[in-house]
Amino acid sequence: MEENLLPPEQTSDNDRTIQVNIEEQMKTAYIDYSMSVIVGRALPDVRDGFKPVHRRVLYAMNELGFSSNKPFRKSAQTVGEVIGKYHPHGDKSIYDTLVRMGQEWAMRYVLVDKQGNFGSPDGDPPAAMRYTEARLHRVAEAMLEDIEKETVDFQLNFDDSREEPTVLPTRIPQLLVNGSSGIAVGMATNMMPHNMTEVVDGCIAYIDNKEITIDQLMAYVKAPDFPTGGIIYGMEGVRDAMATGRGRVVVRGRCHVETRANGREQIIITEVPYQVSRDALTDRIGQLVVDKVIDGVSDVRNESNKEGTRIVIELKQRDAVAQLIINQLYKYSELQTSFGINNVALSKGRPRIMNLKDLISEFVEFRMDVVTRRTRFELRKANERAHVLEGYLKALDHLDEVIALIRASRTPDEAKEALISRSREEKWYISQSVFAPTDFYTQEEGLTETQAKAILELRLQRLTGMERDKIVEEFNGLMDVIKHLTDLLNSESLRYELIKTELTLIKEKFGDARKSEIQYLADEMRIEDLIEEENVVITISHLGYIKRTSATEYRQQRRGGRGAVGSKTREEDYVEHLFVASTHDTMMFFTEKGRCYWMRVYEIPEGEKQSKGRAIQNLIQIPGDDKVKTIIDVKNLDDKEFVQSHYIVLCTKQGIIKKTSLEDFSRPRATGVNAITIVEGDELLHAEMTDGNKEIMMAVKSGRAIRFPEDKVRATGRGAIGVAGIEVDDRNDEVVGMICVNKDDKSKTVLVVSDKGFGKRTAIDEYRITNRGGKGVKTIHVTEKTGSLVGILYVKESEDLIITCKSGITIRTGIVDIREAGRATQGVTLIRLDDGDEIAAISQIEEEAEAETGDLSGEQPAAEAGPDQATENTNDSTTETDN
């Protein structure tokens, strides 16, 4: 190809004409221009997350002293300062930057406190800069903290008249929490905001494990979190962005349906997607209605105000399907919007696409550099101050000589030289009583020029005895500071711990809950994600029917009340076991024949409070002649450290006790495993999980209980028989329960209940510690009125007691309402029983406020639960009528 040369210019003999290739010249100029835009205008720095204009605005406000605890100042003053000193561009771009940093609908965490009209989420422009006022927000101050301690590099400004920082020493991972967007030359960036708490947790997780994977980090940083809330619809694009730096996030507005007094429904939009104008969305919906794209809508209006978003869509007919219209709004309007994620930022001066781990690692690396530089600065300043104090102390130890030398000198310079020479001749040192030699600070012989100058500038009042004590105290304090800073510089692990501590403080100061809800698509969900994590009551009937019910369905009642129907069962059946667990836990089922089976809580069928449930044999492979006796809740069987440090303690009706490591039960099998070998005529009664340091109590039907240390029972394998726990010599007597107690926990008491509805609480100290295998001591006074002992629990006052009768009646009452009494008493009435009815099972549950409401849906009134509307309670309880 022919070279396209510039035509030679007509010049004099003294001038020179340089001919260049115009193609190369344009290419070079355009590359220079594009790099200037990329580095100096459009892309953020990965370290502090700012473009130069944002950084300059915040730095200028900091230099002007516009801090969060000072009065607001005119925005025009900030803009003028930035233009004159750091950013010689148009005032509009600078003011727009200042305004956006103060808009809570644009920034997830605002950096500027605003006063005046800063615009609105509907797209209204802000007032002119001469009318509005601004100052730094506390979040921005955390980004500027320590900037005076040589933590970052500075560069000359546009006219070389002053210096400006190349980056801010932020303690906050700003790029992740607030995101960024910009269009450069040949590239662009669009980074989403995230939740501060999640990002900080992710940074700490990365510091703890540098080999952490993206999936593991996403357990902390789940998804973007927009300042306007909304619903993130689907996670596939988010996962792509987290893993590769490029992806797509779909955001929906939040809406619900309300019914008006005339019976017609209206759709209320309370949150709109990020960067969507509420007015524009209202106009768009109105246009869709006019164009007949959406039918059944009579009116659309924007009722939003300073309190929040409210867009009302009124439906025409009473039979209009609101959900169908909502789906049409998602399809045709900006109520559903997608954002392309493109994580491009400057790393070491070069643009780079970054995934989640890259962004976190770059920030942590930057914080390590800031902390190191800050520590060096503080150490230098501490050494300089200690050096001056060292000179003071030497002078005070030779005060008369110093005064004489100064008086004999004609000029300050002569006095300074005299002090230096005399102190070195006589080898002045600080006395050993003040300074002990260390490996991090060594005092010099005599005085240096700096010390001599400081002594000459010393005020006379510092020569008093009290002032000398202050100098000694300050010097010794500086020695501790210097040692700490030296250790910090010599240990990378200490610096990482300091970074984690500072991040934790940031989370405590500025962390908050998520605003954007995450909604998974059907093909993205794990079964655990589909199930809401909540506490449920698991019930198992005498004939083996199981179900789970929300704990809130069991309302709290005063003790002595009538109770309510808890489960519809056949006449010969009754609820025998109640257990409270989270839906994400693993349940271990132990049967009376000594077998162990496993099931996740969410796999247990859900049923109403009055429903019968499903036969347990249809869920786990239990033989027809066996039945579940006890269940244990385990959070995570994959946690090796946990399973290796915990045990399963089992007891039988004949008083046998056995302990086995939880690790032996950590590999679930569909057919179950043998937990204990049961001898003929005996059966498993109860099992509990312990940490190996508890005390075991066993109670028998006749009213006796024994207490002995857990270490009296050595751990054995799953197939072992066990050893004697309590003596059961009466053929009609048997063990009714076992509890594992913590001897140091004074907040808990022992609760015993008899089958005629009597019960009490007793302090654990009333039961003396004995060897296992003995008869024990009396725990309740058993009479014909009280009936036999039916159960024993280890409870605290913040819990509730759930009592289940053989007739299906249940009652929930606060533990705090059951009074404490001695071992040998018979207790107070807990529940009034119908003739022939008995208590079948007792269980404890953590007290929940929502359970303290009145009637529950589906609950039968008291007249259906028994013949009496009200019953008179004996002892110290009051008369109760069921609602």
Side-chain angles (χ1 to χ4, degrees), residues 58 449 468 528 604 694 703 730 753 854:
L58 295 179
E449 184 174 350
R468 185 185 190 283
E528 289 90 346
I604 299 172
K694 301 289 181 67
D730 188 346
V753 177

Side-chain angles (χ1 to χ4, degrees), residues 205-252:
Y206 171 79
I207 293 172
D208 290 335
N209 176 21
K210 300 293 196 311
E211 305 302 319
I212 192 170
T213 65
I214 299 291
D215 287 340
Q216 289 171 330
L217 277 174
M218 284 188 68
Y220 302 96
V221 188
K222 298 177 177 62
D225 189 26
F226 298 103
T228 52
I231 300 169
I232 295 173
Y233 186 65
M235 285 291 290
E236 183 179 356
V238 174
R239 288 196 182 93
D240 291 342
M242 296 289 193
T244 67
R246 293 182 185 272
R248 176 173 167 270
V249 57
V250 178
V251 184
R252 288 180 163 183

Side-chain angles (χ1 to χ4, degrees), residues 117-130:
N117 178 12
F118 268 57
S120 76
D122 296 324
D124 300 319
M129 68 179 81
R130 62 183 179 272

Side-chain angles (χ1 to χ4, degrees), residues 61 66-70 72-73 75 98 101-102 110-115 118 133-138 140:
M61 293 179 76
F66 296 172
S67 55
S68 62
N69 58 355
K70 300 288 180 62
F72 287 96
R73 304 299 292 269
S75 300
L98 174 66
M101 288 194 292
V110 295
L111 306 179
V112 169
D113 266 344
K114 66 182 190 296
Q115 184 163 277
F118 268 57
E133 297 178 333
R135 63 185 179 189
L136 289 172
H137 193 277
R138 290 188 306 128

Side-chain angles (χ1 to χ4, degrees), residues 695-706:
E695 292 174 347
I696 298 171
M697 287 187 66
M698 301 171 69
V700 293
K701 192 175 180 181
S702 58
R704 290 183 289 113
I706 191 170

